């Protein structure tokens, strides 16, 4: 929660191409100075063709190698997008739940693995860029979000990893998105990989968090899809039911200026981290 506060303090608006976007990249980089010094921080910069023209985007990758690669030769990827919605760039939208808190969550998990290096599969943290649609305001989910105008970062890196052979080493990808909601209940996202959906239920049972998952079934267009499309097991950990739904908030707080720090909680972030770390343990044991 403190990392979320710090992240928002330096980069409240993080839409692609903005000063806040560059500040967000620097914030993430600075958190992983020890990994960068060892060559385990990668800035995967690329140019995306968007409806508003070419945009430079940055996937930021942090690697925590296995201490025993001969025993477990493979990679578990944890991912969160860090940028904010481009069409909302002229509003006070800060994406506290939608990008900020899950980026902070990955940073905290990175701090854990710095102190406790993975003993089985390597763990890579992917702060992916361009998850949101890129278009001029006003924002319209139905009018702007489509397969070619979203998920820029994960589409790019999935293709890159397919070409260089990395995808064959990835045992699972776990996407963290909007899971700091005070009223946390992580959806069963049915276009995730089935065995990972089942494993999330086991993780929730083993961590006593069954009350925080699977109240709703959803099919989601999210950062897991580029990996699923290439045959890589991927799980979308997402709580799409964020805030009250009414005439003025047809999709709750999602993509509104109501997505602020007071709508998330340290308790929910703790539940999410418990589940993610338990998922890693279960994938290691599989």
């Amino acid at each position: 929660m403190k990392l979320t506060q710090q992240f928002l303090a330096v980069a409240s608006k993080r839409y692609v191409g903005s000063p806040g976007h560059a500040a967000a990249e620097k914030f993430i980089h600075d958190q992983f100075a020890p990994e960068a010094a060892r060559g385990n921080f990668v800035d995967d910069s690329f140019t995306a063709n968007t409806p508003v023209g070419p945009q430079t985007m940055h996937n930021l990758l942090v690697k925590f190698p296995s201490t025993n690669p001969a025993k477990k030769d493979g990679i578990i990827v944890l991912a969160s997008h860090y940028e904010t919605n481009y069409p909302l760039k002229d509003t006070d939208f800060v994406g506290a739940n939608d990008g900020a808190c899950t980026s902070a969550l990955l940073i905290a998990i990175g701090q854990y693995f710095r102190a406790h290096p993975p003993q089985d599969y390597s763990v890579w943290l992917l702060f992916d860029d361009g998850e949101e649609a890129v278009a001029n305001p006003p924002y319209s989910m139905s009018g702007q979000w489509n397969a070619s105008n979203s998920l820029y970062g994960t589409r790019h890196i999935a293709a890159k990893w397919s070409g260089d052979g990395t995808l064959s080493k990835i045992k699972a990808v776990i996407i963290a998105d909007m899971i700091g909601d005070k009223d946390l209940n992580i959806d069963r996202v049915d276009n995730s990989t089935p065995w990972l959906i089942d494993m999330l239920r086991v993780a929730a049972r083993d961590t006593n968090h069954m009350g925080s998952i699977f109240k709703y079934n959803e099919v989601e267009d999210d950062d897991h899809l580029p990996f699923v499309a290439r045959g890589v097991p991927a799980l979308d950990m997402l709580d799409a039911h964020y805030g009250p739904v009414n005439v003025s908030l047809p999709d709750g707080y999602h993509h509104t200026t109501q997505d602020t720090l007071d709508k998330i909680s340290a308790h929910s972030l703790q539940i999410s981290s418990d589940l993610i770390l338990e998922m890693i343990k279960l994938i290691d044991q599989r």
Side-chain angles (χ1 to χ4, degrees):
M1 192 69 174
K2 289 179 181 178
L3 282 165
T4 305
Q5 293 170 334
Q6 294 166 10
F7 190 43
L8 288 174
V10 301
S12 58
K13 291 187 176 185
R14 306 176 299 283
Y15 60 88
V16 172
S18 69
H21 188 258
E25 295 165 28
K26 184 179 185 303
F27 181 87
I28 294 167
H29 182 274
D30 289 350
Q31 299 299 317
F32 293 106
E35 288 69 36
R38 290 193 291 271
N40 288 331
F41 186 100
V42 178
D43 182 344
D44 172 41
S45 177
F46 65 101
T47 300
N49 292 317
T50 79
V52 299
Q55 297 290 322
T56 300
M57 299 186 183
H58 300 263
N59 290 322
L60 306 176
L61 182 67
V62 190
K63 300 179 181 181
F64 291 91
S66 171
T67 59
N68 192 1
K71 175 185 174 186
K72 289 282 189 177
D73 184 16
I75 303 160
I76 300 170
V77 177
L78 310 180
S80 167
H81 79 94
Y82 65 91
E83 93 287 8
T84 47
N85 180 290
Y86 189 95
L88 297 175
K89 64 188 180 68
D90 298 325
T91 74
D92 291 330
F93 177 71
V94 300
N97 193 33
D98 195 0
C101 72
T102 46
S103 296
L105 181 61
L106 259 62
I107 292 170
I109 288 173
Q111 293 171 346
Y112 172 82
F113 281 114
R114 183 182 298 150
H116 306 88
Q119 297 183 26
D120 294 295
Y121 292 129
S122 297
V123 175
W124 289 7
L125 307 180
L126 173 62
F127 299 83
D128 62 271
D129 204 356
E131 185 262 0
E132 303 282 10
V134 180
N136 286 318
Y139 178 73
S140 166
M141 189 75 167
S142 59
Q144 294 167 350
W145 183 281
N146 57 60
S148 63
N149 187 25
S150 62
L151 315 182
Y152 289 98
T154 45
R155 284 192 289 121
H156 165 79
I157 206 162
K160 180 178 180 178
W161 284 347
S162 177
D164 67 15
T166 301
L167 278 192
S168 64
K169 300 178 182 179
I170 296 177
K171 302 303 178 182
V173 177
I174 299 173
I175 305 298
D177 195 2
M178 297 178 63
I179 50 175
D181 181 2
K182 276 185 176 178
D183 183 24
L184 181 68
N185 200 287
I186 296 169
D187 300 329
R188 178 189 168 102
V189 179
D190 288 335
N191 55 349
S192 295
T193 300
W195 67 262
L196 282 169
I197 296 173
D198 293 341
M199 187 175 282
L200 179 56
R201 185 184 295 277
V202 174
R205 181 199 67 196
D206 292 351
T207 56
N208 296 314
H209 294 318
M210 285 295 290
S212 297
I213 68 164
F214 295 175
K215 182 178 180 180
Y216 301 101
N217 284 44
E218 304 288 347
V219 172
E220 294 291 342
D221 294 330
D222 207 352
D223 275 323
H224 62 304
L225 293 183
F227 298 103
V228 171
R230 293 180 181 272
V232 178
L235 175 71
D236 192 19
M237 287 184 61
L238 169 76
D239 179 358
H241 300 264
Y242 178 41
V245 173
N246 51 47
V247 173
S248 61
L249 295 169
D251 198 19
Y253 301 140
H254 181 231
H255 286 172
T256 75
T257 56
Q258 296 298 309
D259 183 4
T260 47
L261 193 63
D262 59 301
K263 308 302 192 309
I264 64 175
S265 75
H267 179 65
S268 294
L269 290 170
Q270 184 65 60
I271 292 171
S272 296
S273 64
D274 289 349
L275 292 170
I276 289 171
L277 291 176
E278 186 69 13
M279 287 287 294
I280 291 171
K281 184 180 83 172
L282 293 171
I283 294 165
D284 284 336
Q285 295 172 351
R286 190 171 185 267

